[in-house]
Amino acid sequence: MLPPDLRFARDRLRPDTLVAWITSPKKIKPDSAMPELDIAPADARDIAAYILTTKLAPAAPHVVPPRL
């Protein structure tokens, strides 16, 4: 299984929701594949801030294959 592309978290999640997800993903989505990690709230806020504000490389262009 591949990890999610976190660049889309900026569009989909509010900062407080991302902190809650990092702190306890199973409370938000019980069947989540993300494990419950013992992360302090301050550390979860720091991780969320990193995800939401770090400069990203451009997304890879979507290549449409030629018609058969």
Side-chain angles (χ1 to χ4, degrees):
M1 177 167 32
L2 295 174
D5 186 343
L6 293 176
R7 78 178 63 245
F8 301 111
R10 295 175 180 195
D11 298 329
R12 296 187 330 223
L13 298 171
R14 294 187 330 244
D16 58 322
T17 303
L18 185 54
V19 171
W21 175 265
I22 292 166
T23 304
S24 185
K26 304 263 190 245
K27 285 184 181 177
I28 295 174
K29 187 174 185 252
D31 63 340
S32 171
M34 182 169 166
E36 295 282 337
L37 304 170
D38 189 23
I39 296 177
D43 292 336
R45 286 190 299 275
D46 291 344
I47 293 167
Y50 179 82
I51 291 169
L52 296 172
T53 62
T54 298
K55 185 174 179 172
L56 300 171
H62 180 70
V63 179
V64 178
R67 293 182 65 102
L68 296 176

